[in-house]
Structure formats: structure tokens, C-alpha cells
Amino acid sequence: MRNPVGGHVPVAGGLASTGLAYARELGAETVQVFAANPRGWATPPGNPAQDELFRARCAAEGIPAYVHAPYLINFGSHTEATAEKSVESLRHSLRRGREIGALGVVVHTGSATGGRPREVALAQVRELMLPLLDELTHDDDPFLLLESTAGQGFSLCSRTWDFGPYFEALDAHPRLGICLDTCHVFAAGHDLAGPHGMRQTLDLLVDTVGEGRLKLIHANDSKDVAGAHKDRHENIGAGHIGEEPFRELFSHPATENVPLVIETPGGKEGHAADVARLKKLRDG
């Protein structure tokens, strides 16, 4: 399938029993899950029976699965406790990713806090994150997928070219990839809704990190205009990006076989409608 389309699914009550049941109701061809509370530091062990069932069903049905690491992670933080907990939290998500057969673990690229220069923050990213990448030695280890932010505050990565220094800091590690969030890059200033805006943005991304690094797309419309630096997702076609750029996205060589995961509002009905809308744009 050129681009499996799916969504982020809830897993409270069981990774396989809750998560995959929800995915079926959406008509999802790919899924993303949290392996821990996204707004906390806890590192729960998981349920081996659910892990095995989830892994087996995804394999049997050809559903690519992804883990989203907790939001608190920030490898650019000047606070020692945050930096240390970030390492522990991401290591946990990567391990859980392997246990459930996930292809990638998405982590936000963070920000330089405490008034520190970007270079100092990126040096710390290297020091803390590179050892985690080097631990990914198993054949079934997930890729670590960097997701840029909407450009709020002292973000280390918001425009496509910001991935350049970040990749450089991590020696363009072979297990490193990108998760492109359409709302985030739009909010950061890439006008995807302008003439060929999506194509140009994807071209820039490939120019910056090379071919084959784009592993996942978070397909979200935006409640705010381009360059607003606001991370507010909207349903596909109902925001300032609109439907057409997503059609353009499907035809770009860089997105070939790359799954799309929606993180949009509206609950199950809204999610099912967005999955259907994206499939129609893909197949139309």
C-alpha cells in the first residue's frame, strides 16, 4: 500500500483489546500508541500477553505500528532532573516499541531552556541521545523518529532546515528518522496551503536530511494560520491547510510508502471521518 492511513488509538484497558478494536472502527491501516502516560515520567512494564497479541495481530493484518514518547521529554533542558528523566523515559519507549513490534518511536525535538544557546543544547542532545541510538542493535528495534514543534519558545527544531544541525549532532545515525507533523510545520512558517507549498516543504526536508529519512507523517490540519507558532490541530480540510495540500503530499516521491497517522479532534467519529477523507484523497 502506498500510504497506510490510520490514527493514534487509546490503549487503556489493553494494547490489543482496546487499541486494535478502536483502530478497526476507524478503518485504520496503521496505528500509533502511547506506551506510558504522555504527561508523566512513569515507565510501566506493559502486559506481555497484550504485547504479544498486539504484535501478532499487527503482523497478520499488515498494520505498521508506532509509539509516541511522552511530551515531557526534552533533551535540550538545562534542568539536570529533566535531562536524566528524558533519557530514562525515551529508553523505556524504545524498549516498549521493540516489545510490541513498533517500527518507530516518535519524540519531540525539544527546546533550549534556561537561556542557553542552541549549540549548548544540541551538544547535550548529542551527549544524551546518541547512546540511546547506539543501543538500537536488534533487527526488530524501532527507528527513533524526530518530530519538530510549532516553533514556540526556544524550539530546537521547527523549520525543515532545523533538522540539519540536529542530524549533525547525532551523526546522522542510521536508526534516526523523521516524523513530519503537517500542523507543526505549517504553524512554524511553511505555508503548505500556498501554491505547491507541500511539495516545496517536502523538497526542503529531503535536501536537509537526505532521501529515505521520512518514516511517518502526522496528518493534521491547523486551526491557526501559517506561521502562527500555535500547535492546535484541526480535522482534515476544516482548517487553514485544507484538503488539497494532502493530495499533493500523496504524490511526492519522499512520501512513498510512508504511513499517515491523524491526531485530530472530534473523537471516534471525527477520526473515522478524517481517515476516510485521507484515503479518498490518496485513492482519488
Side-chain angles (χ1 to χ4, degrees), residues 4-20:
V5 172
H8 186 100
V9 300
V11 294
L15 198 60
S17 49
T18 306
L20 292 180

Side-chain angles (χ1 to χ4, degrees), residues 6-9 21-28 262 267-268 271-272 275-276 279:
H8 186 100
V9 300
Y22 190 94
R24 268 192 289 277
E25 290 182 55
L26 299 189
I262 55 154
K268 196 184 290 178
H271 296 161
V275 167
K279 285 180 180 176

Side-chain angles (χ1 to χ4, degrees), residues 89-145:
S89 180
L90 185 55
R91 182 178 276 124
H92 171 260
S93 283
L94 288 164
R95 191 189 76 237
R96 293 290 294 126
R98 186 172 87 241
E99 288 168 357
I100 68 169
L103 299 183
V105 171
V106 178
V107 67
H108 290 170
T109 44
S111 56
T113 64
R116 295 195 303 174
R118 291 169 67 90
E119 297 71 35
V120 174
L122 281 172
Q124 182 172 290
V125 166
R126 177 185 177 83
E127 179 194 341
L128 300 177
M129 210 184 255
L130 201 52
L132 294 178
L133 282 159
D134 285 337
E135 287 170 18
L136 302 176
T137 54
H138 305 81
D139 289 343
D140 57 350
D141 270 323
F143 278 84
L144 180 58
L145 307 182

